[in-house]
Amino acid sequence: MSDFDFDIIRRSWPLMREATWTSIQLFAWSLVMASFIGLLVALMRLSNVRALRWLAGVYVWIFRGLPALVILFFAFFWVGREFNLTSFQAAILGLGVSSGAYTAEIIRAGILAVDSGQQEASDALAMSRAQSMRRIILPQGIRVMIPNYVSNATLLFKSTSLATVIGLNELTGRSRQLANSTFKPIEILTAAGVVYLVLTSVLVGLQVLLERRYAVKG
Amino acid sequence: MDVQFFLDVFPEILEGLQMTLSLFLWTMLFSTLLGLVLALMRLSPITPLRWFSAVYGWLLRGIPLLLLLFYVFFALPEFGDFFTFSPFRSAVVGLTLWTASYQSEAIRSGIISVDKGQSEASDALAMTKSHQMRKIILPQSVRIIAPPFTGNAINALKQTSLATVITVSEMTGITRGIIAGSFQTVEPLLALALIYLALTTVLVFAQSGLERVFRLKT
């Protein structure tokens, strides 16, 4: 093994920076989509309407039961071809749908963790179900959701690397190409690893901050 | 949807099941051992061991599995022949290193959940540390370890699909090949999804079965 070549990293950095930005954008959009799906599916699972509960249960079963990679293939090769999606759009769809199933379970657990007395008190105050969910239950459930929600987001960020398999030039895929073309896999892949570590550490730091912000004041 | 084509490709994809399962089983075996070692290191009184285990977890949980697989497959061989593995072994190494970081957290949290009185009582009985761990602490912690442990196992099973990216011909890889060769996507993807869903569903049942076995009898 030759000496670690910092220069190759410096010269590859413009391309890697661009790819990092793609990864971050993919992450942000998928997180938005996963959160919407998660909230919707969680509320459906707790609904009084049996068909909705059943539908949501099947959703979670299917999308947690499949590898994210397989879901991405569906999003790209099937939905993507039917609707002419770019690989970026297909990746958002696939990751959002997949992560949404996990998010749904996290939100549901948070809602269930709120003491049932809160719901009863809201009923006694003649609040509608939607009102009590919005004003009473969800704000209290958020405290329970935050740690799991953020660590799920960290997993989602790491999963954006899968999009390379459907042809998106995000950080992992771009680094692999650069590793091939420069014949310096150690340097390039290590640099990519450092970028991921920094970004995931930021997310973990955010988790700590949020937990502190939402902690019960004692 | 072409039913005949579906029936044709189903057995072809099913042939990859053996490869998927052997990736999974080897990964589970090695990652459980490594996870246990890392968990014990994390709880050790020796500071460098604690540090090593903490840094390991931070590194491995901070990067995408796909990047780790690329690292093992493309970068490690640069360090010499000893680190040059076949695609299958590279996949097992990558999956093991990754899964172990999650298993060590599962095992560690199980160990620290055992009441302190248990180790105090074993101290009073003049048991050695390793004797205590083996006979008193670990058997009691299994109940807490089982749910996250099986959760990690289910994730590991799904993540064996990534091995296709470093040219291991498991189920997902075979499916990709069929898609590329036939330009028909829905049938092979559906067959693949059904097999994964069956596998993960079996594991989920095993998980709830295990939880029932380990539940405290009252």
Side-chain angles (χ1 to χ4, degrees):
Chain A
M1 184 201 153
S2 53
D3 290 344
F4 197 87
D5 184 355
F6 281 102
D7 196 48
I8 197 76
I9 296 175
R10 196 180 54 74
R11 281 189 286 141
S12 308
W13 178 240
L15 285 173
M16 290 182 73
R17 190 180 53 203
E18 193 189 14
T20 305
W21 183 234
T22 306
S23 290
I24 293 174
Q25 282 178 309
L26 174 57
F27 166 65
W29 285 111
S30 325
L31 186 64
V32 169
M33 187 165 169
S35 305
F36 267 112
I37 292 179
L39 183 60
L40 185 70
V41 173
L43 293 177
M44 281 168 69
R45 267 203 111 164
L46 296 168
S47 141
N48 292 323
V49 185
R50 180 180 301 199
L52 290 183
R53 274 206 311 274
W54 186 83
L55 204 64
V58 170
Y59 181 92
V60 171
W61 170 63
I62 290 180
F63 288 104
R64 284 208 311 176
L66 292 178
L69 192 59
V70 174
I71 299 172
L72 275 179
F73 283 155
F74 268 105
F76 184 66
F77 289 117
W78 186 35
V79 184
R81 275 184 193 168
E82 295 284 319
F83 296 96
N84 266 321
L85 301 183
T86 63
S87 56
F88 186 68
Q89 290 164 331
I92 294 173
L93 177 68
L95 291 174
V97 160
S98 159
S99 186
Y102 296 90
T103 310
E105 289 297 274
I106 291 166
I107 294 177
R108 186 173 77 111
I111 292 174
L112 288 176
V114 176
D115 189 89
S116 62
Q118 298 290 325
Q119 180 66 51
E120 288 159 17
S122 324
D123 287 344
L125 291 169
M127 286 180 148
S128 70
R129 285 270 291 176
Q131 260 179 341
S132 66
M133 185 55 81
R134 227 172 44 238
R135 299 203 182 155
I136 310 293
I137 310 292
L138 277 180
Q140 296 183 71
I142 281 181
R143 186 177 301 136
V144 182
M145 294 171 204
I146 282 177
N148 296 325
Y149 181 84
V150 182
S151 56
N152 192 47
T154 314
L155 283 178
L156 174 62
F157 179 61
K158 289 183 276 183
S159 301
T160 58
S161 62
L162 301 184
T164 180
V165 183
I166 56 169
L168 187 71
N169 258 321
E170 46 63 65
L171 182 56
T172 301
R174 175 61 62 76
S175 307
R176 204 216 124 161
Q177 293 162 6
L178 285 167
N180 273 347
S181 58
T182 60
F183 299 104
K184 298 276 185 193
I186 297 176
E187 286 82 351
I188 299 291
L189 294 179
T190 303
V194 170
V195 174
Y196 276 112
L197 273 174
V198 169
L199 292 172
T200 48
S201 298
V202 167
L203 283 175
V204 173
L206 190 69
Q207 176 175 358
V208 175
L209 279 181
L210 281 174
E211 278 175 38
R212 207 171 296 158
R213 164 94 172 64
Y214 282 97
V216 182
K217 311 286 184 294
Chain B
M1 160 126 179
D2 181 346
V3 177
Q4 189 52 48
F5 186 59
F6 175 82
L7 294 176
D8 287 343
V9 294
F10 193 89
E12 211 177 317
I13 293 170
L14 201 57
E15 270 173 39
L17 178 63
Q18 197 192 349
M19 183 57 96
T20 294
L21 286 182
S22 61
L23 282 170
F24 172 63
L25 292 174
W26 285 114
T27 299
M28 283 312 294
L29 174 67
F30 292 132
S31 66
T32 304
L33 292 174
L34 183 56
L36 181 61
V37 171
L38 287 165
L40 293 176
M41 284 169 79
R42 192 77 200 269
L43 297 168
S44 142
I46 304 164
T47 309
L49 291 184
R50 272 206 312 277
W51 264 88
F52 178 86
S53 177
V55 170
Y56 180 95
W58 173 70
L59 277 177
L60 270 287
R61 282 195 297 272
I63 61 169
L65 172 59
L66 193 56
L67 185 69
L68 178 64
L69 288 174
F70 284 155
Y71 209 93
V72 174
F73 193 58
F74 294 114
L76 276 192
E78 305 274 314
F79 290 97
D81 286 344
F82 182 76
F83 294 105
T84 309
F85 307 119
S86 68
F88 176 77
R89 287 191 180 173
S90 301
V92 172
V93 169
L95 284 164
T96 296
L97 293 174
W98 165 276
T99 308
S101 74
Y102 290 88
Q103 292 299 32
S104 80
E105 277 301 298
I107 295 172
R108 184 178 75 105
S109 59
I111 291 175
I112 56 180
S113 74
V114 175
D115 190 89
K116 206 155 56 85
Q118 297 290 323
S119 66
E120 286 166 2
S122 339
D123 282 340
L125 291 170
M127 287 176 132
T128 63
K129 278 278 168 212
S130 71
H131 199 189
Q132 267 182 41
M133 189 51 86
R134 248 182 13 251
K135 299 276 171 174
I136 309 292
I137 310 291
L138 276 181
Q140 295 187 70
S141 63
V142 168
R143 183 175 305 128
I144 311 289
I145 296 173
F149 184 90
T150 37
N152 290 336
I154 295 169
N155 279 335
L157 176 75
K158 289 186 281 183
Q159 278 158 342
T160 57
S161 61
L162 298 191
T164 174
V165 182
I166 54 170
T167 73
V168 178
S169 192
E170 40 66 73
M171 295 195 300
T172 307
I174 294 175
T175 307
R176 280 175 93 192
I178 295 173
I179 291 174
S182 69
F183 296 107
Q184 281 179 286
T185 56
V186 182
E187 295 84 358
L189 278 178
L190 220 49
L192 177 68
L194 281 178
I195 301 171
Y196 272 120
L197 214 49
L199 288 174
T200 49
T201 303
V202 167
L203 280 179
V204 169
F205 276 114
Q207 179 175 27
S208 46
L210 266 182
E211 279 171 40
R212 209 165 306 139
V213 169
F214 286 121
R215 190 173 300 155
L216 277 180
K217 313 287 186 294
T218 44

